Coordinates of all heavy atoms in Angstrom, one line a residue:
M1 N -12.3 -3.5 2.8 CA -11.0 -4.3 2.7 C -10.1 -3.4 1.9 O -10.4 -3.0 0.8 CB -11.2 -5.7 1.9 CG -10.1 -6.5 1.8 SD -9.6 -7.3 3.4 CE -8.2 -8.2 2.7
K2 N -8.9 -3.3 2.4 CA -7.9 -2.5 1.8 C -7.3 -3.3 0.7 O -7.3 -4.5 0.7 CB -6.9 -1.9 2.7 CG -7.3 -0.8 3.6 CD -6.1 -0.4 4.4 CE -6.4 0.8 5.4 NZ -5.2 1.1 6.2
D3 N -6.6 -2.6 -0.2 CA -5.8 -3.4 -1.3 C -4.4 -3.4 -0.9 O -3.8 -2.7 0.0 CB -5.9 -2.5 -2.6 CG -7.4 -2.6 -3.1 OD1 -8.0 -3.6 -3.0 OD2 -7.8 -1.5 -3.6
V4 N -3.7 -4.3 -1.6 CA -2.2 -4.3 -1.5 C -1.7 -2.9 -1.7 O -2.1 -2.3 -2.7 CB -1.7 -5.3 -2.5 CG1 -0.1 -5.3 -2.6 CG2 -2.1 -6.8 -2.2
P5 N -0.8 -2.4 -0.9 CA -0.4 -1.0 -1.0 C 0.5 -0.8 -2.3 O 1.1 -1.7 -2.8 CB 0.6 -0.8 0.2 CG 0.9 -2.2 0.7 CD -0.2 -3.1 0.3
I6 N 0.3 0.4 -2.8 CA 1.2 0.8 -3.9 C 2.4 1.6 -3.3 O 2.1 2.6 -2.7 CB 0.5 1.6 -4.9 CG1 -0.7 0.8 -5.6 CG2 1.4 2.3 -6.0 CD1 -1.7 1.6 -6.3
L7 N 3.5 1.1 -3.4 CA 4.7 1.8 -2.7 C 5.2 3.1 -3.4 O 5.6 4.0 -2.7 CB 5.9 0.8 -2.5 CG 5.6 -0.2 -1.5 CD1 6.6 -1.4 -1.7 CD2 5.6 0.3 -0.1
F8 N 5.0 3.1 -4.6 CA 5.3 4.3 -5.4 C 4.7 4.2 -6.8 O 4.4 3.1 -7.3 CB 6.9 4.4 -5.5 CG 7.5 3.4 -6.2 CD1 7.8 3.4 -7.6 CD2 7.9 2.2 -5.5 CE1 8.3 2.3 -8.2 CE2 8.5 1.1 -6.2 CZ 8.7 1.1 -7.5
K9 N 4.3 5.4 -7.3 CA 3.8 5.4 -8.6 C 4.8 5.6 -9.7 O 4.7 5.0 -10.7 CB 2.7 6.5 -8.8 CG 1.5 6.3 -7.8 CD 0.3 7.1 -8.4 CE -0.9 6.7 -7.7 NZ -1.1 7.3 -6.3
E10 N 5.8 6.4 -9.3 CA 6.9 6.6 -10.3 C 8.2 6.3 -9.6 O 8.3 6.4 -8.3 CB 6.9 8.0 -10.8 CG 5.5 8.4 -11.3 CD 5.7 9.6 -12.2 OE1 6.7 10.1 -12.5 OE2 4.6 10.1 -12.6
K11 N 9.2 6.0 -10.4 CA 10.5 5.6 -9.8 C 11.1 6.8 -8.9 O 11.9 6.5 -8.0 CB 11.5 5.2 -10.8 CG 11.1 3.8 -11.3 CD 12.1 3.2 -12.3 CE 11.7 1.9 -12.9 NZ 12.6 1.4 -14.0
A12 N 10.7 8.0 -9.4 CA 11.2 9.1 -8.7 C 10.7 9.2 -7.2 O 11.2 9.9 -6.4 CB 10.9 10.5 -9.4
D13 N 9.6 8.5 -7.0 CA 9.0 8.5 -5.7 C 9.6 7.4 -4.7 O 9.1 7.2 -3.6 CB 7.5 8.3 -5.8 CG 6.8 9.4 -6.5 OD1 7.3 10.5 -6.4 OD2 5.8 9.1 -7.2
C14 N 10.6 6.7 -5.2 CA 11.3 5.7 -4.4 C 12.8 5.8 -4.5 O 13.3 5.9 -5.7 CB 10.9 4.3 -5.0 SG 11.7 2.9 -4.2
C15 N 13.4 5.9 -3.4 CA 14.9 6.0 -3.4 C 15.6 4.7 -3.3 O 16.8 4.6 -3.3 CB 15.3 7.0 -2.3 SG 15.1 6.3 -0.6
G16 N 14.8 3.6 -3.3 CA 15.4 2.3 -3.2 C 16.1 2.0 -1.9 O 17.0 1.2 -1.9
C17 N 15.6 2.6 -0.8 CA 16.3 2.4 0.5 C 16.0 1.1 1.0 O 16.8 0.7 2.0 CB 15.8 3.5 1.5 SG 14.1 3.2 1.9
S18 N 15.1 0.4 0.6 CA 14.7 -1.1 1.0 C 14.2 -1.1 2.4 O 14.1 -2.2 3.0 CB 15.9 -2.1 0.7 OG 16.9 -1.9 1.6
A19 N 13.8 0.0 3.0 CA 13.3 0.0 4.3 C 11.9 -0.9 4.3 O 11.6 -1.5 5.3 CB 13.0 1.4 4.8
C20 N 11.2 -0.7 3.3 CA 10.0 -1.5 3.2 C 10.2 -3.0 3.1 O 9.6 -3.8 3.8 CB 9.1 -1.0 2.0 SG 10.1 -1.1 0.5
Y21 N 11.2 -3.3 2.3 CA 11.7 -4.6 2.2 C 12.0 -5.2 3.6 O 11.7 -6.4 4.0 CB 12.8 -4.7 1.2 CG 13.6 -6.0 1.2 CD1 13.2 -7.1 0.4 CD2 14.9 -6.0 1.8 CE1 14.0 -8.2 0.4 CE2 15.7 -7.2 1.7 CZ 15.2 -8.3 1.0 OH 16.0 -9.4 1.0
A22 N 12.8 -4.5 4.3 CA 13.4 -4.9 5.6 C 12.2 -5.1 6.6 O 12.3 -5.9 7.5 CB 14.4 -3.9 6.1
I23 N 11.2 -4.3 6.6 CA 10.2 -4.3 7.6 C 9.1 -5.3 7.4 O 8.4 -5.7 8.3 CB 9.6 -2.9 7.9 CG1 9.1 -2.8 9.3 CG2 8.5 -2.6 6.9 CD1 8.8 -1.4 9.8
C24 N 8.9 -5.7 6.2 CA 7.7 -6.6 5.9 C 7.8 -7.9 6.6 O 8.8 -8.6 6.6 CB 7.7 -6.9 4.3 SG 6.3 -8.0 3.9
P25 N 6.8 -8.1 7.5 CA 6.7 -9.3 8.3 C 6.5 -10.6 7.5 O 6.7 -11.7 8.1 CB 5.6 -9.1 9.2 CG 4.7 -8.1 8.5 CD 5.5 -7.4 7.6
K26 N 6.1 -10.5 6.3 CA 5.8 -11.7 5.5 C 6.8 -12.0 4.4 O 6.5 -12.9 3.5 CB 4.4 -11.6 4.9 CG 3.3 -11.5 6.0 CD 3.2 -12.5 6.9 CE 2.3 -13.6 6.5 NZ 2.3 -14.7 7.6
D27 N 7.8 -11.3 4.3 CA 8.8 -11.4 3.2 C 8.0 -11.3 1.9 O 8.4 -12.0 0.9 CB 9.5 -12.7 3.3 CG 10.5 -12.7 4.3 OD1 11.0 -11.6 4.8 OD2 10.9 -13.8 4.8
A28 N 7.1 -10.4 1.9 CA 6.3 -10.2 0.6 C 6.9 -9.3 -0.4 O 6.4 -9.1 -1.4 CB 4.8 -9.8 1.0
I29 N 8.0 -8.5 0.0 CA 8.6 -7.6 -0.8 C 9.9 -8.1 -1.4 O 10.7 -8.6 -0.6 CB 8.8 -6.2 -0.1 CG1 7.4 -5.7 0.3 CG2 9.5 -5.2 -1.0 CD1 7.5 -4.4 1.0
N30 N 10.1 -8.0 -2.7 CA 11.4 -8.3 -3.3 C 11.9 -7.1 -3.9 O 11.2 -6.3 -4.4 CB 11.2 -9.3 -4.4 CG 10.7 -10.7 -3.9 OD1 11.3 -11.3 -3.0 ND2 9.6 -11.2 -4.3
M31 N 13.3 -6.9 -3.7 CA 13.9 -5.8 -4.4 C 14.3 -6.3 -5.8 O 15.1 -7.2 -6.0 CB 15.2 -5.3 -3.6 CG 14.8 -4.8 -2.2 SD 13.7 -3.4 -2.2 CE 14.7 -2.1 -2.9
V32 N 13.8 -5.6 -6.8 CA 13.9 -6.1 -8.2 C 14.8 -5.0 -8.9 O 14.4 -3.9 -8.9 CB 12.6 -6.3 -8.8 CG1 12.8 -6.7 -10.3 CG2 11.8 -7.3 -8.1
E33 N 15.8 -5.5 -9.6 CA 16.7 -4.5 -10.3 C 16.0 -4.1 -11.6 O 15.5 -5.0 -12.3 CB 18.0 -5.3 -10.6 CG 19.2 -4.4 -10.8 CD 20.5 -5.2 -10.8 OE1 20.9 -5.7 -9.8 OE2 21.0 -5.3 -11.9
D34 N 16.0 -2.8 -11.9 CA 15.5 -2.4 -13.2 C 16.7 -2.5 -14.3 O 17.8 -2.9 -14.0 CB 14.8 -1.0 -13.2 CG 15.9 0.1 -12.9 OD1 17.1 -0.2 -12.9 OD2 15.4 1.2 -12.8
N35 N 16.3 -2.1 -15.5 CA 17.4 -2.1 -16.5 C 18.5 -1.2 -16.4 O 19.5 -1.2 -17.1 CB 16.7 -2.0 -18.0 CG 15.8 -0.8 -18.0 OD1 16.0 0.1 -17.2 ND2 15.0 -0.8 -19.0
E36 N 18.5 -0.3 -15.4 CA 19.6 0.6 -15.1 C 20.3 0.2 -14.0 O 21.2 0.9 -13.4 CB 19.1 2.1 -15.0 CG 18.6 2.6 -16.3 CD 17.9 3.9 -16.1 OE1 17.5 4.3 -15.0 OE2 17.9 4.7 -17.1
G37 N 20.0 -0.9 -13.4 CA 20.7 -1.5 -12.2 C 20.3 -0.9 -10.8 O 20.9 -1.2 -9.8
F38 N 19.2 -0.1 -10.7 CA 18.6 0.3 -9.5 C 17.6 -0.7 -9.0 O 16.8 -1.2 -9.9 CB 18.0 1.7 -9.7 CG 19.0 2.8 -10.0 CD1 19.1 3.3 -11.3 CD2 19.9 3.2 -9.0 CE1 20.0 4.3 -11.6 CE2 20.9 4.2 -9.3 CZ 21.0 4.7 -10.6
E39 N 17.6 -0.9 -7.8 CA 16.6 -1.9 -7.2 C 15.3 -1.1 -6.7 O 15.5 -0.2 -5.9 CB 17.2 -2.7 -6.0 CG 18.3 -3.6 -6.6 CD 18.7 -4.6 -5.6 OE1 18.7 -4.3 -4.4 OE2 19.2 -5.7 -6.0
Y40 N 14.2 -1.7 -7.0 CA 12.9 -1.1 -6.6 C 12.1 -2.2 -5.9 O 12.2 -3.5 -6.4 CB 12.1 -0.5 -7.7 CG 12.8 0.8 -8.2 CD1 13.7 0.7 -9.3 CD2 12.5 2.0 -7.6 CE1 14.3 1.8 -9.8 CE2 13.2 3.1 -8.0 CZ 14.0 3.0 -9.1 OH 14.6 4.2 -9.6
P41 N 11.3 -2.0 -4.9 CA 10.6 -3.0 -4.3 C 9.4 -3.4 -5.1 O 8.8 -2.6 -5.7 CB 10.1 -2.3 -3.0 CG 10.1 -0.9 -3.2 CD 11.2 -0.6 -4.3
K42 N 9.1 -4.7 -5.1 CA 8.0 -5.2 -5.8 C 7.2 -6.1 -4.7 O 7.8 -7.0 -4.1 CB 8.4 -6.1 -7.0 CG 7.2 -6.5 -7.9 CD 7.7 -7.1 -9.2 CE 6.7 -7.4 -10.1 NZ 5.6 -8.1 -9.6
I43 N 5.9 -5.9 -4.6 CA 5.2 -6.7 -3.5 C 4.6 -7.9 -4.2 O 4.0 -7.8 -5.3 CB 4.0 -5.8 -3.0 CG1 4.6 -4.6 -2.2 CG2 3.1 -6.7 -2.1 CD1 3.6 -3.7 -1.6
D44 N 4.8 -9.1 -3.6 CA 4.1 -10.3 -4.0 C 2.7 -10.3 -3.3 O 2.5 -10.5 -2.1 CB 4.9 -11.5 -3.4 CG 4.4 -12.8 -3.9 OD1 3.1 -12.8 -4.1 OD2 5.1 -13.8 -3.8
E45 N 1.7 -10.1 -4.2 CA 0.3 -10.0 -3.7 C -0.2 -11.3 -3.0 O -1.1 -11.2 -2.3 CB -0.6 -9.6 -4.9 CG -0.2 -8.3 -5.4 CD -1.2 -7.7 -6.5 OE1 -2.2 -8.4 -6.6 OE2 -0.9 -6.6 -7.0
E46 N 0.4 -12.4 -3.4 CA 0.1 -13.7 -2.8 C 0.5 -13.6 -1.2 O -0.3 -14.2 -0.5 CB 0.7 -14.8 -3.5 CG 0.4 -14.8 -5.0 CD -1.1 -15.5 -5.2 OE1 -1.3 -16.5 -4.6 OE2 -1.9 -14.9 -5.9
K47 N 1.5 -13.1 -1.0 CA 2.1 -13.1 0.4 C 1.6 -11.9 1.3 O 1.7 -12.1 2.5 CB 3.6 -13.2 0.4 CG 4.3 -14.5 -0.2 CD 5.7 -14.3 0.0 CE 6.5 -15.5 -0.6 NZ 7.9 -15.2 -0.5
C48 N 1.3 -10.9 0.6 CA 1.0 -9.6 1.4 C -0.3 -9.8 2.3 O -1.3 -10.3 1.8 CB 0.7 -8.5 0.4 SG 0.3 -6.9 1.2
I49 N -0.1 -9.4 3.6 CA -1.3 -9.4 4.5 C -1.9 -8.1 4.7 O -2.7 -7.8 5.6 CB -1.0 -10.1 5.8 CG1 0.3 -9.2 6.4 CG2 -0.6 -11.5 5.7 CD1 0.5 -9.6 7.9
I50 N -1.5 -7.0 3.8 CA -2.0 -5.7 3.8 C -2.0 -5.0 5.1 O -2.9 -4.5 5.7 CB -3.5 -5.8 3.2 CG1 -3.6 -6.6 2.0 CG2 -4.0 -4.4 2.9 CD1 -4.8 -6.7 1.3
C51 N -0.8 -5.1 5.9 CA -0.6 -4.5 7.1 C -0.2 -3.1 7.0 O -0.1 -2.4 8.0 CB 0.4 -5.3 7.9 SG 2.0 -5.3 7.2
Y52 N 0.3 -2.7 5.8 CA 0.8 -1.4 5.5 C 2.1 -0.9 6.3 O 2.3 0.3 6.4 CB -0.4 -0.4 5.8 CG -1.3 -0.2 4.4 CD1 -2.1 -1.3 4.1 CD2 -1.3 0.9 3.7 CE1 -2.9 -1.3 2.9 CE2 -2.1 0.9 2.5 CZ -2.8 -0.1 2.2 OH -3.6 -0.1 1.1
Q53 N 2.7 -1.8 7.0 CA 3.9 -1.4 7.6 C 5.0 -0.8 6.7 O 5.7 0.0 7.0 CB 4.5 -2.6 8.4 CG 3.8 -3.0 9.6 CD 4.5 -4.0 10.4 OE1 5.7 -3.7 10.8 NE2 3.9 -5.1 10.9
C54 N 5.0 -1.4 5.4 CA 5.9 -1.0 4.5 C 5.6 0.5 4.1 O 6.6 1.4 3.8 CB 5.8 -1.8 3.2 SG 4.2 -2.0 2.6
V55 N 4.4 0.9 4.0 CA 4.0 2.3 3.6 C 4.4 3.2 4.8 O 4.9 4.3 4.6 CB 2.5 2.4 3.3 CG1 2.1 3.8 3.1 CG2 2.2 1.4 2.2
K56 N 4.2 2.8 6.0 CA 4.5 3.6 7.2 C 5.9 3.8 7.3 O 6.3 4.9 7.7 CB 4.0 2.9 8.4 CG 2.5 3.0 8.6 CD 2.0 2.5 9.9 CE 0.5 2.1 10.0 NZ 0.2 0.9 10.7
V57 N 6.8 3.0 6.9 CA 8.2 3.1 7.1 C 8.8 3.8 6.0 O 9.9 4.4 6.1 CB 8.9 1.7 7.3 CG1 9.0 1.0 5.9 CG2 10.2 1.7 8.0
C58 N 8.1 4.0 4.9 CA 8.7 4.6 3.7 C 9.0 6.1 3.9 O 8.1 6.8 4.4 CB 7.7 4.5 2.5 SG 8.4 5.3 1.0
P59 N 10.2 6.6 3.7 CA 10.5 7.9 3.9 C 9.8 8.9 2.9 O 9.8 10.1 3.2 CB 12.0 8.0 3.8 CG 12.4 6.8 2.9 CD 11.3 5.8 3.2
F60 N 9.3 8.4 1.9 CA 8.6 9.2 0.9 C 7.1 9.4 1.3 O 6.3 8.6 0.9 CB 8.6 8.7 -0.5 CG 10.0 8.9 -1.1 CD1 11.1 8.3 -0.7 CD2 10.2 9.8 -2.2 CE1 12.4 8.6 -1.2 CE2 11.4 10.1 -2.7 CZ 12.5 9.4 -2.2
K61 N 6.9 10.3 2.2 CA 5.6 10.4 2.8 C 4.5 11.0 1.9 O 3.4 11.2 2.3 CB 5.6 11.2 4.1 CG 6.4 10.5 5.2 CD 5.7 9.1 5.5 CE 6.4 8.4 6.7 NZ 5.9 7.0 6.8
D62 N 4.9 11.5 0.7 CA 3.8 12.0 -0.1 C 3.1 10.8 -0.8 O 2.1 11.1 -1.5 CB 4.4 13.0 -1.1 CG 5.5 12.3 -2.0 OD1 6.0 11.2 -1.5 OD2 5.8 12.9 -3.1
I63 N 3.5 9.6 -0.5 CA 2.8 8.5 -1.1 C 1.3 8.4 -0.6 O 1.2 8.6 0.6 CB 3.5 7.2 -0.8 CG1 4.8 7.1 -1.7 CG2 2.6 6.0 -1.1 CD1 5.6 6.0 -1.3
K64 N 0.4 8.3 -1.5 CA -1.0 8.4 -1.0 C -1.5 7.0 -0.6 O -1.1 6.0 -1.2 CB -2.0 8.7 -2.2 CG -1.5 9.9 -3.0 CD -2.3 11.1 -2.6 CE -2.0 12.3 -3.5 NZ -0.6 12.7 -3.6
L65 N -2.1 7.1 0.5 CA -2.7 5.8 1.1 C -4.0 5.6 0.4 O -4.9 6.5 0.5 CB -3.0 5.9 2.6 CG -1.7 5.8 3.5 CD1 -2.1 6.0 4.9 CD2 -1.2 4.3 3.3
S66 N -4.2 4.5 -0.3 CA -5.4 4.4 -1.1 C -6.4 3.6 -0.3 O -6.1 3.0 0.7 CB -5.1 3.6 -2.4 OG -4.5 2.4 -2.1
Ligands
LIG1 S1 1.5 -4.4 3.5 FE1 2.6 -5.5 5.0 S2 2.7 -7.7 4.2 FE2 2.1 -6.3 2.5 S3 4.1 -5.8 1.5 FE3 3.6 -4.2 3.0 S4 4.7 -4.8 4.9 FE4 4.6 -6.6 3.6
LIG2 S1 10.7 2.4 1.8 FE1 9.8 3.6 0.2 S2 11.6 4.7 -0.7 FE2 12.4 3.0 0.5 S3 12.5 1.2 -1.1 FE3 10.5 1.2 -0.1 S4 9.1 2.2 -1.4 FE4 11.2 2.9 -2.0

């Protein structure tokens, strides 16, 4: 059984494009503003069905699939 994906480890690994947010079939991703006003995706583990579409769509392909 895979785990809920980790979209990025550091903020530098995410450009905030929200492609993952847009593609998630379960609305499990919320874009959350940080204290500098940039939005980063946060996965709701309760809703996530671990389909990994968000990881596939992410332009930051150096993200490791765990
Ligand atoms: S793995 Fe699938 S369900 Fe979970 S956050 Fe990503 S796109 Fe949404
Ligand atoms: S698709 Fe990747 S770069 Fe774009 S917001 Fe999601 S995690 Fe960040």
Side-chain angles (χ1 to χ4, degrees):
M1 184 77 180
K2 286 183 177 178
D3 293 323
V4 170
I6 296 166
L7 287 167
F8 57 95
K9 290 209 171 75
E10 306 198 6
K11 287 180 178 174
D13 297 329
C14 171
C15 66
C17 69
S18 75
C20 53
Y21 166 82
I23 205 167
C24 178
K26 299 304 268 182
D27 288 334
I29 300 179
N30 295 304
M31 296 302 288
V32 179
E33 204 172 287
D34 72 2
N35 52 16
E36 293 174 334
F38 294 105
E39 291 192 331
Y40 292 93
K42 189 170 188 311
I43 295 175
D44 181 339
E45 299 187 3
E46 302 281 310
K47 291 186 182 171
C48 178
I49 55 167
I50 314 185
C51 67
Y52 276 68
Q53 288 194 47
C54 52
V55 177
K56 285 187 197 136
V57 79
C58 180
F60 281 71
K61 288 302 183 195
D62 58 340
I63 289 173
K64 309 261 186 310
L65 282 174
S66 55

